[in-house]
Amino acid sequence: MKKLRTCLLVIIIISFAGGLHAQKRALTHDDIESWKRITEKVVSPDGEWIAYKTEPWQGDPEIYLYNKDGSRVFESKPAEKIKITDDSEFMIFTIIPAWQHVRELKLQKTKKEDMPGDVLGVYSIGKAVLDSIKDIRNYKIPAEWGGWLAYQVEKDDKEAGEKEAEAGEAEEKESGEKDSKKESGKNGFMLHLEDLASGETVSWPFVTEYHFAEKSSRLFFVSTGDADGFDPGLYLYDIEKEQLSAVMTGDNDYKQLSITEEGDMIAFLLGEGEKEGR
């Protein structure tokens, strides 16, 4: 009798295990592609906000912003590269073209210059307002002080061409000769410095490199100059004083800029490195 009970128990266990096995579904490629990974995490300097990015194996990444109580206050898709300003007032991120749209354009063999560009998202956490900057090329925010954004955008050749056409022959005769200098990696791009609280912006032409001081409100940049009297050189902009001053002017190749934390000293190389300026 004991033997019989043991056999029955084994049969029941085997039957139950077999039933479980029958209920399982094999994972498919679509299942794996739908899984989302957390690939970015940012905590605001004041500890009040947490932002992160989820990313599927194939598809569009999405970013989320939560307060410390665990309530979601903002989300955006497709987006990536989250930063929060040092004053914890703004979340900066990149809005990228949709994955499916890019895929379709690539299948159509769309030229690189005709592909959609990135957009910079600037979200005011306190006001719950989102602003955006199209065709962003690069940007920087200060490391240990907040409220400011420096950025460059890709030049819209079509729009620029229309403006040049509108200027017409009168401007050409006035200057005697048309300025043919164009924005490029070598010549530089317009640099914009924005006060995030007010939205006010100041700009400088043909900037090839720029850096914020780590602990003081100073911005350094190198410009190749323009035909309207802005000399090529290395410049310092004191944000508090709203004052621009030339560290050194001249059509030189300024390299390897190194700035102290307070922005009171800067070292750099000229040309091939034979001279050092300070």
Side-chain angles (χ1 to χ4, degrees), residues 26 35 81 149 156 170 175 177 180 210 241 250:
W35 290 350
K81 298 177 183 176
L149 168 71
D156 187 333
S175 61
E177 135 177 82
S180 60
Y210 62 98
K241 297 178 181 178

Side-chain angles (χ1 to χ4, degrees), residues 152 184-189 205-210 222-224 254:
Q152 294 178 306
S184 66
K186 182 179 179 181
N187 292 334
F189 292 81
F206 296 107
V207 172
T208 57
E209 185 177 355
Y210 62 98
V222 175
S223 171
T224 60
Y254 302 90

Side-chain angles (χ1 to χ4, degrees), residues 122-170:
V122 181
Y123 181 70
S124 172
I125 299 174
K127 296 178 180 178
V129 173
L130 175 65
D131 288 325
S132 61
I133 301 168
K134 293 181 179 179
D135 298 317
I136 192 71
R137 180 178 175 83
N138 55 60
Y139 77 93
K140 291 181 181 180
I141 57 175
E144 296 187 24
W145 48 282
W148 294 86
L149 168 71
Y151 66 91
Q152 294 178 306
V153 297
E154 297 286 356
K155 183 177 180 182
D156 187 333
D157 291 330
K158 184 180 178 182
E159 183 182 343
E162 288 172 356
K163 287 181 180 178
E164 285 177 7
E166 285 172 9
E169 294 177 4

